[in-house]
């Protein structure tokens, strides 16, 4: 049997997402938080393993809704925000528009589901090219527009007036992916939800210390949530994740203090990286820093030899690597190694 001939063409040309485990001493490649919440695991002991999870994740959504000052009807839970991207594309279809470089899953999922993709390059400042986006909106009428702000892998927030112009011009849904919002100096788009029916906010717990749980949320008009909920798999968020997240989120102070340390370490990393010859870091509002070097492969491999794993982004952004902000000790180890390998 020829499997290649059976598989859908859109899928056969895809490559599996490369999330392979590379052994290392210091892991700064996946924009995770260096701080976990192990004490929250005690909540897992109360789970009835023979029962399905709460399909609506009511308690968790209730807590999130309360924290954000919104209603439960305006939230949809996902097995990570990756899954919610899948659901959005499954529910609304394409064309799907997004800037590049950005988070790769918008394009991968759209392609896997056979939807038309419109990728529009960011400008030289890594901001949205509104002229080109607005003309694509007119011409192609995208049903979905994904804007990651702060953007992965560039680290900057897009100008809010440009995002607003896009929301106002679009006849489709605009998703502002705020995966990195906790680390940003700007407020984010949640306060604008009431003014724009086509605005959807996406958030995740993955970057603030709970990546293992796989939990993401959509925040939107109840009517949008209802439609997306039709394609959601019945028990998409498991009981362990629901219970442990509930326990961890009780202690918001702890989250906030971890975010504070990461933001101050980001500042230190940036300042120190700027001093290293042959290294050009780009300002970041996220928990990672994009930086340019003369020979990204050489620097990436030399760091790995010293046990430090970062992300090689050269295919998305010419000459660039991306480092996640770790603990102060991890960052110091990274800086020390970078100084010796960047020349
Ligand atoms: N959006 C952006 C912009 C991301 O960078 C990532 C993770 N790298 C995600 C979404 C996916 O997050 P999750 O772990 O919630 O699936």
């Amino acid at each position: 049997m020829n499997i290649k001939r059976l598989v859908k063409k859109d899928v056969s040309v895809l490559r599996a997402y490369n999330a392979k485990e590379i052994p290392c001493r210091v892991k700064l490649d996946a924009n995770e938080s260096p701080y976990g919440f192990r004490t929250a695991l005690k909540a897992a002991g109360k789970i009835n393993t023979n029962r399905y999870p709460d399909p609506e994740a009511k308690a968790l959504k209730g807590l999130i809704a309360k924290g954000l000052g919104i209603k439960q009807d305006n939230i949809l839970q996902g097995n990570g925000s990756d899954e919610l991207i899948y659901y959005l594309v499954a529910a609304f279809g394409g064309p799907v528009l997004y800037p590049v470089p950005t988070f790769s899953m918008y394009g991968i999922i759209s392609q896997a589901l056979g939807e038309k993709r419109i990728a529009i390059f960011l400008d030289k400042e890594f901001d949205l090219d509104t002229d080109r986006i607005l003309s694509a909106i007119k011409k192609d009428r995208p049903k979905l527009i994904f804007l990651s702000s702060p953007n992965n892998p560039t680290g900057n927030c897009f100008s809010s007036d440009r995002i607003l112009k896009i929301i106002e011009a679009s006849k489709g849904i605009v998703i502002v992916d705020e995966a990195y919002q906790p680390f940003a100096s700007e407020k984010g788009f949640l306060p604008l939800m009431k003014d724009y029916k086509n605005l959807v906010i996406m958030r995740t717990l993955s970057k603030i210390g709970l990546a293992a749980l796989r939990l993401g949320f959509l925040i939107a008009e109840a009517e949008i949530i209802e439609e997306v909920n039709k394609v959601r798999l019945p028990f998409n968020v498991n009981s362990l994740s629901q219970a442990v997240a509930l326990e961890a989120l009780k202690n918001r102070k702890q989250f906030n203090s971890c975010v504070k340390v990461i933001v101050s370490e980001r500042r230190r990393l940036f300042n120190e990286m700027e001093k290293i010859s042959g290294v050009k870091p780009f300002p970041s509002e996220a928990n990672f820093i994009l930086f340019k070097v003369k020979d990204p492969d050489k620097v990436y491999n030399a760091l790995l030899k010293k046990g430090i794993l970062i992300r090689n982004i050269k295919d998305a952004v010419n000459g660039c690597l991306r480092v996640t902000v770790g603990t102060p000790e991890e960052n110091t180890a990274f800086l020390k190694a970078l100084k010796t390998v960047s020349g």
Side-chain angles (χ1 to χ4, degrees):
M1 190 196 286
N2 188 338
I3 301 292
K4 267 271 174 232
R5 279 177 59 184
L6 282 177
V7 76
K8 290 196 300 185
K9 206 164 153 233
D10 284 319
V11 175
S12 74
V13 294
L14 278 173
R15 264 197 272 149
Y17 190 83
N18 186 5
K20 57 175 190 263
E21 296 258 327
I22 302 172
C24 60
R25 184 166 51 88
V26 177
K27 186 175 184 313
L28 302 174
D29 67 323
N31 300 344
E32 297 148 327
S33 169
Y35 306 110
F37 293 89
R38 290 190 72 85
T39 53
L41 290 173
K42 63 174 185 262
K46 293 178 201 139
I47 286 165
N48 291 322
T49 60
N50 56 318
R51 300 294 178 204
Y52 280 111
D54 171 4
E56 306 299 332
K58 285 187 288 296
L60 186 56
K61 281 201 297 191
L63 191 70
I64 301 261
K66 202 170 146 208
L68 297 175
I70 56 172
K71 290 200 192 117
Q72 259 194 64
D73 299 354
N74 298 113
I75 302 186
L76 191 73
Q77 72 280 18
N79 194 306
S81 34
D82 285 347
E83 188 185 51
L84 294 167
I85 301 168
Y86 221 105
Y87 290 166
L88 282 161
V89 181
F92 292 101
V96 180
L97 186 149
Y98 47 86
V100 277
T102 194
F103 182 44
S104 60
M105 291 313 287
Y106 311 140
I108 293 172
I109 289 170
S110 302
Q111 180 166 358
L113 293 175
E115 301 294 348
K116 182 177 173 184
R117 292 160 291 139
I118 306 165
I120 297 190
F121 279 106
L122 293 172
D123 68 14
K124 284 203 190 81
E125 271 74 51
F126 295 146
D127 205 346
L128 297 163
D129 184 338
T130 17
D131 287 347
R132 292 187 58 206
I133 293 178
L134 292 182
S135 70
I137 287 175
K138 258 197 193 149
K139 185 169 152 272
D140 298 302
R141 299 196 155 250
K143 291 249 193 86
L144 295 170
I145 299 177
F146 284 97
L147 305 175
S148 159
S149 188
N151 186 40
N152 177 13
T154 54
N156 57 310
C157 283
F158 298 137
S159 338
S160 44
D161 57 324
R162 296 190 190 191
I163 296 182
L164 278 181
K165 260 191 202 160
I166 292 166
I167 296 171
E168 279 167 6
S170 172
K171 301 276 180 268
I173 288 168
V174 179
I175 301 102
V176 180
D177 182 347
E178 295 191 339
Y180 301 99
Q181 170 57 32
F183 310 100
S185 53
E186 291 171 32
K187 255 206 232 111
F189 274 68
L190 202 58
L192 294 175
M193 286 274 312
K194 57 181 183 331
D195 302 325
Y196 299 100
K197 278 192 180 306
N198 63 337
L199 169 62
V200 172
I201 312 274
M202 196 159 66
R203 292 270 178 103
T204 179
L205 302 186
S206 294
K207 313 299 169 189
I208 53 171
L210 298 173
L213 305 185
R214 307 299 297 124
L215 264 168
F217 297 93
L218 283 189
I219 303 155
E221 272 287 308
E223 202 184 339
I224 293 178
I225 298 289
E226 263 170 46
E227 295 305 323
V228 182
N229 199 25
K230 291 178 186 170
V231 298
R232 183 175 64 85
L233 298 175
F235 304 102
N236 62 325
V237 174
N238 70 67
S239 304
L240 284 164
S241 295
Q242 292 188 34
V244 175
L246 260 177
E247 182 65 28
L249 287 172
K250 278 187 198 156
N251 194 350
R252 276 177 206 259
K253 265 198 196 145
Q254 207 179 335
F255 279 98
N256 294 341
S257 64
C258 291
V259 167
K260 258 196 192 152
V261 175
I262 291 166
V263 168
S264 104
E265 277 297 297
R266 179 183 73 204
R267 204 171 304 127
R268 179 173 78 93
L269 260 183
F270 181 86
N271 291 341
E272 293 300 315
M273 286 166 81
E274 262 199 320
K275 291 182 203 156
I276 304 174
S277 87
V279 173
K280 181 184 185 289
F282 293 94
S284 170
E285 295 275 328
N287 67 341
F288 56 84
I289 294 177
L290 181 79
F291 63 101
K292 197 165 188 151
V293 291
K294 267 183 238 121
D295 186 343
D297 286 339
K298 188 190 120 199
V299 174
Y300 174 86
N301 288 321
L303 285 172
L304 194 54
K305 258 203 180 144
K306 291 177 180 285
I308 294 167
L309 178 64
I310 61 166
R311 185 64 68 92
N312 195 340
I313 300 282
K314 63 162 193 185
D315 293 335
V317 196
N318 195 18
C320 282
L321 300 166
R322 189 193 72 193
V323 62
T324 304
V325 181
T327 60
E329 298 72 34
E330 288 172 333
N331 301 331
T332 299
F334 162 74
L335 286 167
K336 190 173 160 215
L338 186 64
K339 276 176 201 156
T340 64
V341 304
S342 63

